[in-house]
Amino acid sequence: MESDTSRRTFLIGTGLAASSGGLLAACSANPDRSETPPPAGNVQEASGEIDVWSSVEGAQRSSYETYYVNAFEKAYPEITVNVSYRPLGQLEQQTQTALAAGRGPDLVTASGPADIGGYATADLLLPLDEYAADNDWSEKLLPWALESGKVDGTLYALPQDFETLVIFYNKTLFERHGYPTPQDRVSLEDLCAELQAAGITPFAAGNAEFQAVSEWWVTLMFNHFAGADLTYEALTGERSWEDPAFVDSMGLIKDYFRKGWVAGGVRRYFTTQFATMYEDLANGNAGMMMSGSWEFPQLNEHFASSGQDYGWFPIPRLSGMAVYPSFDIGIGETSSISKQSDNPDGVAAYLNWQLEDREAMMKFVQDTDASPMPVPLSEDDFPESMNPRLASHFLALVDATNQGNFGYTTWTFWPSGAHNFCVKKFDSVISDEMTPEEFSAGHEAAFSRDRDRGLVPNIIPRTA
Amino acid sequence: MTDATLGAADAGRRPYKAKPVWRLRRQSPWRHWIFLMPLALFNVCVVLGPAVATVYYAFTDWTGLQPPNFIGLDNFARLVTDAEFHSAVLHNLFYAAFMLTVPVVMALTGAFLLTRITRFRLLFRTLYFLPYIVISVVNGAIWQYLLSPEQGVAKQLSSLGIDWLNDIYFLGDDRLALPTVVFVDHWHWWGFLVVLLLAAMQDVDPVYYESARLDGANRWQEFFHVTLPAIRPTLTFVLILTIIWSFLAYDYAYILTQGGPAGASMLVSILLNTHAFQLNEAGYASAMGLTMTAFTVAVIGVYVYLRRRGWEI
């Protein structure tokens, strides 16, 4: 049987179908968001269901469900929380795609204040000012915490945790050799030289698994060499990133890598995975590890295996421009209410409950060694059975931020373009492919582009 | 044919009567479209629709969240001056050059040798194909471990007193990172080519080999003068597929090095992903993707042009 369908007919049909598909894709990409949201209701009377997407995985998941889902549903029996778990590292991408298509969860999780600006500008998030005022959220959070969730003066997100960078060290090794914990550049460099002479790598480090480890070093140098004051001025546009203080900070860290004080060398830094870092520190092959509040679970596990002890100390003051002790504020996760949500009052009730039920939060922290929300914490909030290192860590962070002794982490306070530049180009500096001057010039250019696009997040002023 | 010609086995069945030709021509030609429609709809929704949308977004400043604004050729003008994009394209070209040579030569040799053995052929074919069916994340993790100076082959050799791998950081040295990534990808890919080429070689008429042997050809002469010309269409298909997939390479580079160190193994696919989802520059990422598509279409276009000119490739 001969077919009457010619190649021309086939191509015409396919072209029409493709055009229809393209029109459908284009038309459906941005749903109408011009509707004015209803006024905030009473969260105590909220009911219904709320959809939450979470990337909590492994052993933490059961604790999350116990203390962040079941405990809430017990307090609010009229509200059901539907949790959908997404792979770590893909949650943000999936959320972004879903929100752009008019779908997604009711509770929107972002990786920090720097990311909510895009959602807020695209009118995908519900302003939270009414809920904050009705429920006294400013009293329940640390003074700077509510400000961190604002975009152009409007509150859009609440921080779900807070974290900082410190130096973890092998306490057993230090006590055996009588090494002091350094507080300034001279004592730090003396210690590094002494450790290296003893065949011990001064700093365990590596970005083989997570390239963004490099931005921790950028954060450290900007805040503890150039100083938090100058960093604040650069973030707010009052100073250029090409200032000699920032150029010299990159030069200093490059020198530390060249000497082999970090990871034993540049190439080893690029190939070292997290497990090797923890093992090196726990076994005394490395003396120190510069990292953040999220490391407690891993360090507990590895030091339990090695039978040695660990501690932490604040990052030393590397120049006269910095202060000591100073803790760089990081926010790893924020929560917002989707403008598409059918139950914004239900989500607000969940956020409010998180701030009020401190017991559930601290039980989750105790179970998982995770970071708590940035609420006013005291020694009474930490049960005796909790990891004392973690307790002292967050108490020190709260105390320092209350006194205005804090700096700014790149993943929280940098806009996306400049942030990406720091992550990628730091590696070029330590590989001798880029000079510190070129890094600073490129950083300034990237930051200026982001500033022109209105992407710089709200920078918290450093006041006591 | 009449009813009288039907055998006893066909007794009871309605006699066959051929349909007149005019009735055949009246059958709707769109009947086959109904059966094709589900697959066509799937392709439109999943492949063609987003592809057409990508063309549209490439000419906009779409962030992935806000409504896009038409900006003309600004994205493409930016690509012309984007040093990072140029570097990534060069890396992809290196990728293609390697994958067009080493795995293809290995696959041709492997497939030819397989045609020459009778015992354990299935075993060898399975072993060659096994890396291809293992998920890339698992393959990548295995090779990361093997190439680690602290845990992998270097450490095992060092325990035997062989230290020459100790200071070689395959994934941490910016000179070695990209070749290492390509090697790992080739290790998973060449087995697939063996299966394709083996199937083509087995279709070669044995008469040609007999004729060649009668003319005094040895094994390698048979390979170059009988096998290669006979499998030319399959080989050309393999080469085009390799070029296309080299421009699309993503998973092994991302798993092993994330494009590092210091961008030494950055590929266009990783760069595109970064711009789309980390920098909220989905329009620019679309322009990048469209440019790579143009490269691929150019390759296929050259092939089609040469075939139409009568080149036997």
Side-chain angles (χ1 to χ4, degrees):
Chain A
M1 180 177 76
E2 290 182 0
S3 169
D4 288 345
T5 307
S6 67
R7 182 169 57 184
R8 180 182 297 177
T9 311
F10 173 81
L11 288 173
I12 290 171
T14 307
L16 283 173
S19 304
S20 307
L23 280 171
L24 282 171
C27 292
S28 64
N30 296 288
D32 181 23
R33 301 172 196 141
S34 58
E35 294 179 9
T36 306
N42 186 346
V43 299
Q44 302 302 328
E45 296 172 1
S47 63
E49 296 184 5
I50 60 173
D51 293 331
V52 174
W53 290 6
S54 171
S55 59
V56 171
E57 56 184 17
Q60 288 194 356
R61 194 174 284 187
S62 66
S63 297
Y64 172 79
E65 289 181 357
T66 300
Y67 299 117
Y68 275 128
V69 178
N70 299 341
F72 169 72
E73 289 179 336
K74 192 175 174 185
Y76 285 79
E78 302 298 318
I79 302 178
T80 303
V81 180
N82 301 320
V83 182
S84 169
Y85 293 101
R86 306 292 161 134
L88 187 66
Q90 290 185 30
L91 174 63
E92 193 168 351
Q93 190 169 321
Q94 292 186 9
T95 302
Q96 183 178 330
T97 307
L99 288 177
R103 303 275 187 270
D106 296 307
L107 179 77
V108 176
T109 302
S111 297
D115 293 323
I116 58 172
Y119 292 142
T121 310
D123 204 24
L124 292 167
L125 302 179
L126 203 65
L128 303 177
D129 299 276
E130 271 193 75
Y131 291 117
D134 292 344
N135 298 282
D136 296 324
W137 285 353
S138 60
E139 303 297 320
K140 297 172 184 172
L141 286 161
L142 288 172
W144 55 266
L146 210 60
E147 289 300 312
S148 69
K150 289 185 177 179
V151 178
D152 294 332
T154 302
L155 181 67
Y156 284 102
L158 289 186
Q160 286 297 290
D161 64 10
F162 69 137
E163 56 203 14
T164 189
L165 292 175
V166 295
I167 295 180
F168 296 97
Y169 69 106
N170 186 314
K171 206 171 182 183
T172 306
L173 179 78
F174 272 50
E175 287 173 353
R176 188 187 310 142
H177 292 273
Y179 297 138
T181 55
Q183 295 185 5
D184 55 32
R185 178 177 167 179
V186 170
S187 54
L188 175 68
E189 292 182 354
D190 288 345
L191 174 63
C192 288
E194 211 170 332
L195 284 168
Q196 193 174 50
I200 300 168
T201 305
F203 283 100
N207 77 346
E209 277 186 64
F210 186 51
Q211 205 173 35
V213 165
S214 293
E215 67 173 321
W216 304 349
W217 296 98
V218 177
T219 296
L220 182 154
M221 296 313 293
F222 280 174
N223 287 281
H224 300 274
F225 179 89
D229 282 338
L230 264 64
T231 303
Y232 173 79
E233 289 173 12
L235 287 169
T236 52
E238 299 167 34
R239 182 180 292 271
S240 167
W241 290 108
E242 293 184 84
D243 188 284
F246 300 115
V247 176
D248 292 344
S249 67
M250 285 295 107
L252 183 62
I253 190 62
K254 181 177 174 176
D255 192 47
Y256 285 177
F257 270 86
R258 186 185 55 77
K259 288 177 177 171
W261 288 354
V262 183
V266 174
R267 288 176 187 168
R268 192 159 181 271
Y269 171 75
F270 290 140
T271 52
T272 298
Q273 299 187 341
F274 286 131
T276 305
M277 276 168 54
Y278 303 138
E279 281 171 22
D280 280 349
L281 185 68
N283 293 326
N285 297 328
M288 298 174 282
M289 183 180 81
M290 192 280 294
S291 189
S293 313
W294 52 85
E295 298 287 17
F296 284 104
Q298 295 297 332
L299 291 174
N300 290 342
E301 181 185 328
H302 284 81
F303 274 89
S305 295
S306 72
Q308 300 187 30
D309 193 16
Y310 78 96
W312 68 269
F313 57 84
I315 294 173
R317 179 186 186 193
L318 298 177
S319 80
M321 294 178 282
V323 297
Y324 180 89
S326 177
F327 296 88
D328 310 320
I329 291 178
I331 298 171
E333 192 174 295
T334 57
S335 289
S336 306
I337 303 178
S338 169
K339 206 168 182 185
Q340 316 292 326
S341 174
D342 294 326
N343 190 2
D345 289 347
V347 183
Y350 183 75
L351 294 175
N352 188 57
W353 169 83
Q354 282 187 315
L355 293 173
E356 287 186 339
D357 194 339
R358 203 171 288 186
E359 186 183 349
M361 178 185 71
M362 295 312 289
K363 281 184 178 173
F364 179 77
V365 170
Q366 182 177 3
D367 262 13
T368 61
D369 280 335
S371 302
M373 291 180 75
V375 296
L377 293 169
S378 66
E379 287 188 17
D380 295 336
D381 291 307
F382 293 89
E384 284 186 12
S385 52
M386 189 172 284
N387 182 352
R389 303 176 198 85
L390 184 144
S392 63
H393 176 89
F394 284 103
L395 285 171
L397 179 55
V398 169
D399 188 48
T401 57
N402 284 340
Q403 295 178 37
N405 292 338
F406 62 83
Y408 306 91
T409 57
T410 51
W411 61 92
T412 302
F413 295 100
W414 262 244
S416 55
H419 175 220
N420 186 66
F421 181 90
C422 288
V423 171
K424 299 273 191 256
K425 297 304 180 185
F426 176 82
D427 291 355
S428 297
V429 172
I430 61 175
S431 301
D432 287 329
E433 291 182 11
M434 185 180 261
T435 65
E437 290 79 9
E438 288 169 341
F439 177 91
S440 295
H443 185 213
E444 172 64 25
F447 205 97
S448 297
R449 258 196 313 272
D450 287 335
R451 191 182 299 120
D452 293 342
R453 291 171 64 192
L455 295 176
V456 180
N458 192 29
I459 309 298
I460 308 161
R462 293 167 57 251
T463 53
Chain B
M1 186 166 68
T2 64
D3 291 348
T5 64
L6 292 173
D10 300 315
R13 289 190 189 172
R14 287 179 58 189
Y16 172 76
K17 287 184 180 178
K19 292 180 182 168
V21 173
W22 63 268
R23 203 163 171 193
L24 284 173
R25 284 199 181 130
R26 276 191 60 189
Q27 284 184 356
S28 169
W30 296 102
R31 185 183 296 179
H32 58 282
W33 276 107
I34 295 172
F35 289 94
L36 279 174
M37 196 53 66
L39 183 61
L41 273 175
F42 177 80
N43 266 282
V44 164
C45 292
V46 177
V47 179
L48 288 174
V52 171
T54 298
V55 173
Y56 165 69
Y57 287 127
F59 296 91
T60 69
D61 64 353
W62 193 42
T63 62
L65 295 170
Q66 294 169 280
N69 300 309
F70 182 75
I71 58 171
L73 297 174
D74 285 0
N75 285 331
F76 297 97
R78 185 178 161 190
L79 280 176
V80 171
T81 58
D82 189 344
E84 212 173 354
F85 176 69
H86 300 162
S87 174
V89 170
L90 285 175
H91 293 162
N92 276 95
L93 288 174
F94 173 84
Y95 216 102
F98 184 97
M99 297 296 263
L100 282 172
T101 50
V102 177
V104 173
V105 168
M106 285 179 61
L108 279 171
T109 308
F112 183 67
L113 291 173
L114 279 177
T115 60
R116 288 294 181 263
I117 63 173
T118 51
R119 295 179 70 187
F120 304 118
R121 181 186 289 182
L122 182 60
L123 172 65
F124 282 112
R125 200 162 63 185
T126 304
L127 288 175
Y128 291 160
F129 196 66
L130 206 57
Y132 183 74
I133 62 173
V134 175
I135 192 171
S136 56
V137 176
V138 173
N139 276 338
I142 291 171
W143 277 101
Q144 254 186 342
Y145 177 83
L146 289 174
L147 296 171
S148 165
E150 283 89 30
Q151 299 166 310
V153 175
K155 186 177 179 187
Q156 306 309 319
L157 288 177
S158 183
S159 65
L160 299 173
I162 304 169
D163 295 334
W164 52 274
L165 275 184
N166 277 8
D167 289 326
I168 299 181
Y169 296 90
F170 290 99
L171 297 173
D173 189 331
D174 53 358
R175 297 165 302 178
L176 298 177
L178 182 61
T180 304
V181 167
V182 176
F183 168 79
V184 174
D185 199 351
H186 138 264
W187 172 83
H188 118 277
W189 172 245
W190 83 281
F192 173 69
L193 299 185
V194 166
V195 171
L196 283 181
L197 294 173
L198 177 63
M201 288 179 188
Q202 287 176 329
D203 274 346
V204 178
D205 194 333
V207 164
Y208 297 120
Y209 290 109
E210 286 176 23
S211 302
R213 277 185 225 119
L214 286 172
D215 286 343
N218 60 27
R219 291 275 172 88
W220 291 112
Q221 285 171 325
E222 284 178 27
F223 176 75
F224 282 107
H225 298 290
V226 178
T227 308
L228 276 186
I231 67 168
R232 190 187 294 130
T234 303
L235 191 57
T236 307
F237 168 74
V238 160
L239 293 175
I240 291 176
L241 205 65
T242 300
I243 293 173
I244 292 171
W245 285 18
S246 296
F247 285 134
L248 296 177
Y250 174 81
D251 44 0
Y252 283 96
Y254 188 80
I255 293 164
L256 292 170
T257 61
Q258 297 165 54
S265 60
M266 179 62 75
L267 300 177
V268 174
S269 52
I270 299 176
L271 191 64
L272 190 154
N273 187 281
T274 301
H275 278 275
F277 294 106
Q278 293 179 29
L279 299 179
N280 293 327
E281 293 180 335
Y284 185 58
S286 299
M288 233 180 254
L290 198 60
T291 304
M292 298 309 290
T293 303
F295 287 158
T296 309
V297 168
V299 168
I300 298 173
V302 166
Y303 167 74
V304 170
Y305 173 75
L306 291 174
R307 286 275 298 180
R308 286 194 174 175
R309 287 291 300 267
W311 285 47
E312 289 187 9
I313 52 174

